[in-house]
Amino acid sequence: MTTVDIPAGWPATEEAARAVQDELRVRVVTDQVGPPPGTGCVTGVDVAYDDERDVVAAAAVVLDAASLEVVAEATAVGRISFPYVPGLLAFREIPTVLAALDALSRPPGLVVCDGYGLAHPRRFGLASHLGVLTGLPTIGVAKNPFTFAYDDPDAPRGSASPLLAGDEEVGRALRTRAGVKPVFVSVGHRVTLDDACAHTLALTPRFRLPETTRRADSLCRRALQEATACH
């Protein structure tokens, strides 16, 4: 487990954080195909918090994209680096997520975030932020649609409908299990929306949520328990 400090110069106010979003958002690439689904490695990242103890734990879990077997994993723990502000959650998570990614024993390949990329009020959620900072291809797969509108997709697995901000498609509601509530997929960086959905389907052979998210969620919770056990 890696222990990280809040980086020097990290934004401390909403105004400063939004300025960083504005500066970095123009670097997002949305027209690269990215790695083919089901090939190479794919990595899930997730975080868990203990606000009372001011602790955040991040996990990065690398899966073989074909077999979905775990081939590497790493965790990092640090102080919570930003207050809770909707739309600015990435600033609470990124320092520890970057540390977990850096601690991996092999390249992560595509990174899947439990959250948003372009499907974000400022079009720059965690997946986009992380992608721009690392240069890695990233996607966001969220459990809810944030503030965006969508029509319920058809019942069969693989059905999808646009996630809309007015007339703009910012992502898709994607049915990963027949008759089960969809997940909400958006581009982070260096992946198209079609491929983001294809990756999500490849990562959900049995459950609603991607295996990357399920494994990273379990690992970051365990890391948080270990980190706070001695407090």
Side-chain angles (χ1 to χ4, degrees):
M1 186 184 298
T2 302
T3 303
V4 296
D5 295 320
I6 299 173
W10 194 249
T13 65
E14 292 183 37
E15 181 182 22
R18 290 194 178 97
V20 170
Q21 286 182 330
D22 289 340
E23 176 189 348
L24 296 181
R25 182 174 52 231
V26 297
R27 303 186 199 174
V28 172
V29 174
T30 60
D31 58 357
Q32 283 188 11
V33 173
T39 65
C41 288
V42 59
T43 296
V45 294
D46 202 3
V47 298
Y49 299 98
D50 186 325
D51 283 281
E52 288 186 3
R53 294 184 172 91
D54 189 29
V55 176
V56 56
V61 180
V62 186
L63 306 184
D64 175 271
S67 67
L68 301 185
E69 294 297 318
V70 175
V71 295
E73 59 184 36
T75 58
V77 171
R79 287 176 50 212
I80 296 172
S81 52
F82 198 80
Y84 175 80
V85 180
L88 299 177
L89 297 186
F91 292 92
R92 286 167 64 87
E93 303 180 359
I94 277 180
T96 45
V97 170
L98 287 175
L101 286 170
D102 287 344
L104 289 170
S105 60
R106 59 194 301 163
L110 176 87
V111 177
V112 181
C113 298
D114 178 27
Y116 308 95
L118 298 184
H120 178 273
R122 296 169 63 78
R123 305 298 181 270
F124 198 68
L126 173 65
S128 296
H129 202 148
L130 196 61
V132 168
L133 291 182
T134 62
L136 295 167
T138 57
I139 66 174
V141 183
K143 300 179 185 74
N144 63 67
F146 212 151
T147 58
F148 301 111
Y150 70 99
D151 291 328
D152 204 34
D154 292 338
R157 167 176 156 84
S159 301
S161 63
L163 194 61
L164 296 171
D167 294 330
E168 180 187 1
E169 184 179 32
V170 296
R172 286 195 193 133
L174 178 67
R175 192 87 68 188
T176 54
R177 290 193 68 202
V180 173
K181 181 183 174 185
V183 296
F184 301 91
V185 180
S186 56
V187 170
H189 184 56
R190 296 181 57 208
V191 182
T192 66
L193 183 53
D194 283 347
D195 273 7
C197 290
H199 280 290
T200 303
L201 288 173
L203 291 166
T204 51
R206 297 175 56 211
F207 299 102
R208 176 183 176 236
L209 296 178
E211 286 301 306
T212 40
T213 299
R214 286 164 39 80
R215 304 293 180 90
D217 174 76
S218 175
L219 184 58
C220 71
R221 290 174 188 272
R222 195 158 70 243
L224 183 67
Q225 287 181 336
E226 293 173 4
T228 56
C230 57
H231 282 245

